[in-house]
Amino acid sequence: MKTIIAANWKMNKTRPQAVAVAGDVAASLKESPVPEREVLIFPPATCLDCVSAAADNMYETGIQNLYPAEEGAFTGEIAPGMVHDAGGTWALIGHSERRHIFMEPDDFIATKVNFTLAHDLKVMLCVGETLPEREAGQLRAVLLRQLTSALSGQAAGAVGRIAIAYEPVWAIGTGKTAGSQEILEAHEIIRDILRMVFTSGDEVPILYGGSVKPANAAEILALDNVNGLLVGGASLEARSFLDIVRAGL
Ligand code: PGA
């Protein structure tokens, strides 16, 4: 499987700012291709169309969140058809900021995963424990709950259209990266759970996210069961994101 390097821009960038970074990323990847890596960008919804248009086939794009309905009276929400229309092929589901700031529960996230896959978008499902959960020894229980609730209804056909991002909540945007042992342990637990849920669970990519930077990307990518990176802050500048895309090569 190709290593996935994904940018999550969160609530950052106007359209001109987004096009400038996206254009630099596309131009650099065109000039010096990186066939070992699959590059994704999750921009804000307002610039999904222009970031998709700037891709020049060098990366795919996705929405950071969507609502599980085709259309209707859901003020402020975005439907899968609108994502297709704006050129997106992926949806980020269950990001910890959605779970913790917007109080999205596991069953709602499961509904979104089902709806997204049924509407022909790929899913990047985010999971991860809070610091109190980790300190209470609940790492495995939390990952099991988050993964089985979101994935157990999926047919084998979903493999190939789902990626998991392990993002320990205490490492997101804090500058605190999880250590190698912590990442290894969590990714091994996730791999075990994926094998329970899917007969071909080895084929589901598991990305690490949480304060990834150019300086630590290669080391994290070298770990067992790390099949990619989901990058927030360090993906906002083309230079540092591209350094992460090329890390360890
Ligand atoms: P960060 O964010 O790299 O800024 O920690 C990662 C994420 O939330 O996806």
Side-chain angles (χ1 to χ4, degrees), residues 8 10 92 95-97 126 167 171-175 209-212 230-234:
N8 173 13
K10 309 190 180 185
L92 205 58
H95 189 278
S96 77
E97 287 147 19
C126 303
E167 299 201 309
I172 296 176
T174 57
S211 299
V212 173
L230 178 57
V231 190

Side-chain angles (χ1 to χ4, degrees), residues 82-103:
M82 299 169 183
V83 178
H84 285 293
D85 180 48
T89 49
W90 284 81
L92 205 58
I93 308 275
H95 189 278
S96 77
E97 287 147 19
R98 302 295 323 169
R99 293 178 190 264
H100 299 290
I101 303 174
F102 302 100
M103 302 312 221

Side-chain angles (χ1 to χ4, degrees), residues 19-40:
V19 170
V21 176
D24 286 351
V25 169
S28 169
L29 295 176
K30 188 138 212 174
E31 196 180 300
S32 323
V34 192
E36 303 88 340
R37 303 274 150 98
E38 181 177 347
V39 178
L40 309 179

